[in-house]
Amino acid sequence: MASRHKLDFVDAELQAIKQNNLYRELRYGKAQGSHITINGKKLINLCSNDYLGIPTTRIQVSQLQSSSRLVSGNDESYKKLEKILAKHKSQQNSLIYPTGYMANLGSISAIARKGDLILSDELNHTSIIESCKLSDARVLVYKHNDIKDLQTKLKQKGKNKFVITEGIFSMDGDMSKLKQITEISQKTDAITIVDDAHGDFVIGKDGKGTPNYFNVGKKIDMYISSLSKGLGSFGGYVAAKNNVIDLCINRSKSFIYTSALPSFLVEYSLKRFNSNREKQKLKLEKNTKKLTKGLKEIGFKINSKSQIIPIIIGNEKSAMDFGKFLFENGVFAQPIRYPTVPKNQARLRISVTAWLKDKDIEKSLEIFKKAYLKFC
Ligand SMILES: Cc1ncc(COP(=O)(O)O)c(C=O)c1O
């Protein structure tokens, strides 16, 4: 009888993932401007979140202050960037976390507690879903961007009530109905939290984000965002009133019990924040319009108006075949599958960046046309 190893169940679990076409593999790549090289193959990069494509910034790598910020990791540069980010969001203060994921985990679980009620959009990012679980509050998920459903669910009891939504939804590229959401929140005294990881620096006046775009910036109680997307740097942050930030410093486990983001990355964000972001933002808008128009002309059904353009394929296997075809023909656009998106809603998530030149977009469209004829 073949002997059994105590970790054999891992193989069985991996096998099940593979059978469902949900297996994920790491690929190594080197990005350079509009392209990425993977296994020696140079591809047009249509899946980078470095939306603004700010030219690479030179910084000096300083000594790492390897410690939590509450111990000795709190480099002077943090003070400068947090002041700038608070002003950027018209809030009293801000707090930087090592990643956007940790900003969500730490801040939402710091402010929402047992006895509270959280209303969370059904398409919210995993980091929001996990932070809600950590909070011990009662969580009700409302239908995506469905104001009636939100209104109904807000009638349930809760000591404090929170409404949490993304600004631009990460896998669909559509925008949250922030005008209506902030109106309802105001009427019901609910606290409005917006994770604007994909709208920050990209839309609104001076890249102030989705709430600014809808002219409701002042009605948001807590902003959460990433420095790793529009700004093309690294880290996450929360911007809110002084007392909220103080509570986060005192309660966020993902802030207290982890090492500080290295200060050279804080300096990197500072430099990129002070670069000519407006020029990059206009370039991104132009590229988004050109690629969206081209895809629609080919026949793809595109509902997104933002730089995130999903092409919904449905079946997981077909989405993988579609992605493979694009890869073989010179375009890198990663298929997105369950559990990142619901089952049978697999898609190619295209993200536009300001890095792309007209000729890159035209070449991509030629390849998408071939893919359309083959798969659609
Ligand atoms: C909506 C949203 N929030 C938070 C995050 C996490 O940000 P970070 O990559 O900085 O951890 C992401 C990342 O994909 C996201 O899409």
Side-chain angles (χ1 to χ4, degrees):
M1 199 176 82
S3 66
R4 239 185 105 248
H5 189 276
K6 59 189 172 189
L7 283 175
D8 279 353
F9 75 93
V10 176
D11 290 327
E13 288 187 16
L14 283 170
Q15 199 51 37
I17 294 173
K18 282 182 187 165
Q19 269 166 5
N20 289 314
N21 294 304
L22 297 174
Y23 185 66
R24 299 171 191 224
E25 270 177 297
L26 281 174
R27 275 196 270 211
Y28 297 94
K30 194 60 125 188
Q32 205 169 27
S34 57
H35 285 69
I36 183 162
T37 304
I38 298 174
N39 295 338
K41 194 172 167 70
K42 197 171 172 196
L43 305 141
I44 299 170
N45 191 357
L46 291 189
C47 49
S48 164
N49 288 336
D50 180 7
Y51 303 127
L52 288 188
I54 300 169
T56 309
T57 318
R58 283 196 176 276
I59 42 148
Q60 226 182 339
V61 176
S62 43
Q63 181 186 336
L64 296 187
Q65 295 186 201
S66 305
S67 172
S68 157
R69 285 188 62 190
L70 281 165
V71 186
S72 64
N74 204 27
D75 185 80
E76 289 279 328
S77 53
Y78 275 101
K79 203 195 293 176
K80 255 196 243 167
L81 184 57
E82 282 172 346
K83 202 169 161 206
I84 283 178
L85 292 173
K87 194 163 168 239
H88 171 63
K89 293 297 178 201
S90 308
Q91 292 283 342
Q92 286 178 345
N93 209 345
S94 83
L95 187 69
I96 297 167
Y97 289 71
T99 64
Y101 197 107
M102 291 162 91
N104 270 328
L105 282 192
S107 63
I108 295 169
S109 62
I111 192 160
R113 313 291 278 185
K114 206 173 164 75
D116 292 341
L117 177 70
I118 298 179
L119 283 304
S120 175
D121 187 288
E122 71 173 326
L123 292 191
N124 275 346
H125 189 255
T126 299
S127 54
I128 301 176
I129 298 169
E130 293 300 311
S131 67
C132 291
K133 284 186 202 160
L134 272 181
S135 75
D136 279 339
R138 181 170 174 227
V139 183
L140 293 179
V141 174
Y142 63 92
K143 285 186 206 141
H144 177 53
N145 246 338
D146 187 325
I147 301 302
K148 269 213 164 112
D149 195 35
L150 171 63
Q151 236 163 348
T152 309
K153 289 182 169 144
L154 258 174
K155 288 184 184 141
Q156 301 266 336
K157 282 209 173 77
K159 200 166 134 224
N160 296 305
K161 295 184 187 179
F162 299 85
V163 179
I164 309 184
T165 178
E166 292 187 30
I168 293 181
F169 284 88
S170 61
M171 293 300 140
D172 291 71
D174 58 336
M175 289 180 200
S176 173
K177 290 181 180 161
L178 286 177
K179 251 192 168 35
Q180 291 99 313
I181 289 176
T182 47
E183 261 169 39
I184 297 169
S185 294
Q186 238 174 354
K187 276 187 200 149
T188 53
D189 229 10
I191 295 152
T192 314
I193 304 181
V194 177
D195 171 352
D196 204 20
H198 297 275
D200 203 6
F201 309 107
V202 167
I203 63 165
K205 189 172 178 286
D206 300 330
K208 286 175 189 288
T210 317
N212 175 278
Y213 177 86
F214 286 116
N215 212 9
V216 294
K218 289 200 167 67
K219 295 183 179 166
I220 308 301
D221 300 295
M222 246 172 103
Y223 278 97
I224 304 170
S225 184
S226 171
L227 299 166
S228 319
K229 307 197 190 300
L231 202 61
S233 179
F234 202 86
Y237 73 96
V238 177
K241 274 182 171 302
N242 280 326
N243 59 0
V244 172
I245 298 300
D246 210 10
L247 193 68
C248 288
I249 293 171
N250 281 278
R251 267 200 194 146
S252 290
K253 292 194 170 123
S254 61
F255 177 84
I256 302 171
Y257 300 104
T258 194
S259 297
L261 183 71
S263 57
F264 63 83
L265 287 170
V266 180
E267 299 277 3
Y268 195 68
S269 292
L270 272 166
K271 281 217 169 169
R272 291 172 83 78
F273 187 91
N274 292 323
S275 66
N276 191 349
R277 288 184 285 118
E278 193 54 29
K279 182 175 155 208
Q280 300 305 110
K281 191 169 163 269
L282 293 174
K283 223 179 202 178
L284 174 62
E285 279 164 20
K286 184 178 140 266
N287 285 353
T288 300
K289 274 193 192 134
K290 187 174 168 78
L291 191 62
T292 307
K293 183 167 173 274
L295 288 168
K296 280 184 179 167
E297 278 166 8
I298 291 170
F300 290 109
K301 209 168 153 270
I302 309 287
N303 293 320
S304 157
K305 290 190 180 68
S306 75
Q307 79 282 6
I308 299 168
I309 311 173
I311 293 182
I312 313 284
I313 308 288
N315 175 283
E316 281 77 23
K317 166 96 177 43
S318 308
M320 291 302 282
D321 291 345
F322 198 110
K324 190 161 172 266
F325 180 86
L326 293 178
F327 189 94
E328 282 163 358
N329 284 277
V331 164
F332 190 39
Q334 186 87 320
I336 307 284
R337 294 161 291 164
Y338 177 83
T340 309
V341 294
K343 274 193 183 138
N344 284 316
Q345 283 191 35
R347 66 198 63 186
L348 270 294
R349 176 192 183 268
I350 299 169
S351 50
V352 186
T353 68
W355 284 113
L356 298 169
K357 299 190 180 71
D358 280 353
K359 64 175 189 211
D360 300 320
I361 297 176
E362 281 149 22
K363 180 88 201 301
S364 304
L365 287 169
E366 271 172 35
I367 297 162
F368 272 108
K369 186 157 191 181
K370 280 191 204 161
Y372 183 83
L373 295 174
K374 190 172 163 70
F375 294 97
C376 301

